[in-house]
Amino acid sequence: MQYLKLYFVVLILGVMAGCSSIAVVNEPVPDILQAEKVCIVVHDDTRELFKTTLKEWMREQGITPDIYPQDTSVDICEWALTYEGRWSWMVGLYLADAKITAYRDGSEAGRAWLDIGKWDGYKWENGKVRIYKLMDMLSGKVDHYENLADEFIK
C-alpha cells in the first residue's frame, strides 16, 4: 500500500514537472530598430491587446507601425511583423503562447516565441508586459527569459 501511495506521489510530481516548462525561441534581429516603418500583419484570432501593444512598443522606439489585414503578404513593406497569441484560462486569463516573427524584404529575419507551461509560475505575468519582453528580445535589446527557460528551441 505504501508503494502505491509513493507511486502516485511520484506520478503527480512528474506530470507537474512536465507541465511547468517554459519554451523559448529567441532569434533577434537588431536591425529592426533602424526601421522607420514596420508593417504589422494582423492575426484575426488573437486578442486586440497584442496588436495595440506591438504598436505602442514600436512608437516608443520611434518606429511608425502600419497595420495590414491577415491575408497580406509579408513582402508588403521592407519590414513586417506577424504575430499570434493564445490566451488560456486557469483560475484567470493568461497569455499562454506568444509568437512574433520579423520579416525583411519578404524573408524571415528573426523571431521571438514563448510557450508557458500550464503550471509555470510565470504564466501570471501581464500579457502586455510579456509582449514588450518578446519585442525587446526580437530587437536584441535583452533576453528576458534567458535564465528562466527549461528548454531552448533553436
Side-chain angles (χ1 to χ4, degrees):
M1 186 66 166
Q2 286 181 330
Y3 289 112
L4 187 59
K5 287 181 185 177
L6 179 62
Y7 172 77
F8 283 113
V9 168
V10 169
L11 179 66
I12 289 170
L13 290 174
V15 168
M16 288 178 66
C19 294
S20 67
S21 66
I22 178 173
V24 178
V25 173
N26 184 22
E27 297 170 4
V29 56
D31 290 348
I32 200 167
L33 291 172
Q34 307 307 314
E36 291 180 24
K37 176 178 90 170
V38 173
C39 297
I40 300 172
V41 179
V42 172
H43 186 259
D44 293 334
D45 294 334
T46 299
R47 297 168 72 86
E48 183 76 13
L49 172 70
F50 212 114
K51 177 180 72 175
T52 57
T53 303
L54 288 176
K55 290 182 349 185
E56 183 179 298
W57 185 92
M58 283 189 211
R59 286 186 181 121
E60 289 178 9
Q61 310 311 309
I63 301 169
T64 302
D66 247 357
I67 306 301
Y68 288 86
Q70 182 168 321
D71 59 353
T72 304
S73 173
V74 293
D75 63 0
I76 190 76
C77 302
E78 178 185 5
W79 284 100
L81 285 183
T82 60
Y83 65 91
E84 184 177 340
R86 183 182 62 82
W87 273 257
S88 290
W89 176 265
M90 179 180 216
V91 183
L93 195 61
Y94 66 98
L95 181 56
D97 303 321
K99 298 177 180 181
I100 305 171
T101 306
Y103 297 86
R104 187 168 196 181
D105 297 321
S107 297
E108 186 175 313
R111 59 190 178 145
W113 295 3
L114 182 67
D115 183 9
I116 300 292
K118 191 171 188 172
W119 298 103
D120 193 280
Y122 290 94
K123 75 178 169 193
W124 303 117
E125 180 176 57
N126 179 290
K128 183 176 178 175
V129 170
R130 181 163 295 154
I131 295 164
Y132 260 74
K133 286 182 175 182
L134 286 172
M135 285 303 294
D136 285 347
M137 290 166 57
L138 181 66
S139 66
K141 292 171 102 177
V142 66
D143 187 345
H144 292 283
Y145 298 103
E146 181 178 25
N147 297 321
L148 303 177
D150 295 329
E151 170 183 296
F152 283 87
I153 304 169
K154 294 255 178 180

